[in-house]
Amino acid sequence: MSLLSILRLPRITENIIAIQYTIQVKNYAAVDKKKVKGTKQKINLPVEEDINKLLNYVCGSNIYKEGEDIKLKPDSEYPEWLWKIRTEPPKLSDLDPNTKQYWRYIRRMAHIRNNKIMKNKRF
């Protein structure tokens, strides 16, 4: 038998595929233990519970070991535009259909909807 006729035999090719499959499934490849590191411990940051400090300071603004957090100023010292900033996402009824923002919003909502559908779909 020639080499080509041996390679064309269906039983041999099925066995080769089966062997490759079992090697991949059973994970015969050894894991390098030097590369595997331990899990990092979760850092618990202290939460400020003092109400007076929460009302008068921007907690967490000081990144240095020394010093203190930034003290809040009265509302009159901040610019007027600061209080007009939208903090919630826009509604579809507020957007104009002739703008790019409208169509980006539509596409984003479609992606979210499709992702929810695919998440619940079984294989």
Side-chain angles (χ1 to χ4, degrees), residues 24-40:
Q24 291 173 356
V25 170
K26 294 186 179 181
N27 297 326
Y28 286 134
V31 177
D32 190 9
K33 293 181 180 179
K34 295 177 184 176
K35 292 182 181 178
V36 177
K37 295 182 180 179
T39 59
K40 294 182 179 179

Side-chain angles (χ1 to χ4, degrees), residues 6 10 12 22-23 26-27 33 39 44-45 50 58 65 78 92 100 110 112 115 117:
I6 293 173
I12 294 175
T22 55
I23 290 173
K26 294 186 179 181
N27 297 326
K33 293 181 180 179
T39 59
N44 291 329
L45 298 174
D50 183 19
V58 180
K65 291 183 179 179
Y78 292 104
L92 187 61
K100 200 172 200 178
I112 291 171
N115 287 342
I117 291 170

Side-chain angles (χ1 to χ4, degrees), residues 79-87:
E80 191 63 34
W81 60 265
L82 184 64
W83 309 114
K84 296 179 183 175
I85 293 178
R86 182 177 44 216
T87 55

